[in-house]
Amino acid sequence: MLERSRDEALGYLKPMLRRSLVQRAGLRYREELRIGEDFYFLATALAHAGYAATEPEPGYRYQVRPGSISSELALENVLGMRR
């Protein structure tokens, strides 16, 4: 997931997970993260499940807006993800 070019990035996936996986692994969103909480959630799910599949056709359009947290990373938020 992390080795793709910007045009192939999967950072804004909208995953569907089995409830049994979420319950078995005790998955929860990390509320202390300002950014990347969805990526962390997905990465943790993959670590427990071991596999994933993607749909090649996009189901939505993502638009970057000036001033959004996702488009302008603050150092404190990046350090929070790293921790």
Side-chain angles (χ1 to χ4, degrees), residues 53-67:
T54 58
E55 167 60 43
E57 294 299 317
Y60 69 98
R61 179 179 167 88
Y62 180 80
Q63 183 173 348
V64 177
R65 294 175 291 134

Side-chain angles (χ1 to χ4, degrees), residues 2-64:
L2 298 175
E3 295 179 3
R4 295 174 178 256
S5 72
R6 183 180 177 127
D7 292 337
E8 298 174 315
L10 299 175
Y12 295 107
L13 291 175
K14 301 299 179 212
M16 295 190 316
L17 304 172
R18 294 186 186 276
R19 181 190 310 209
S20 59
L21 168 64
V22 173
Q23 291 173 333
R24 183 180 74 247
L27 298 177
R28 299 288 181 267
Y29 280 94
R30 302 272 307 265
E31 294 181 23
E32 71 273 14
L33 296 178
R34 290 272 297 147
I35 57 171
E37 70 282 358
D38 49 352
F39 182 81
Y40 184 87
F41 185 89
L42 177 58
T44 305
L46 290 173
H48 283 87
Y51 68 94
T54 58
E55 167 60 43
E57 294 299 317
Y60 69 98
R61 179 179 167 88
Y62 180 80
Q63 183 173 348
V64 177

Side-chain angles (χ1 to χ4, degrees), residues 55-82:
E55 167 60 43
E57 294 299 317
Y60 69 98
R61 179 179 167 88
Y62 180 80
Q63 183 173 348
V64 177
R65 294 175 291 134
S68 74
I69 293 174
S70 297
S71 65
E72 298 178 11
L73 298 177
L75 180 58
E76 66 186 71
N77 294 332
V78 174
L79 292 175
M81 283 192 333
R82 185 174 178 193

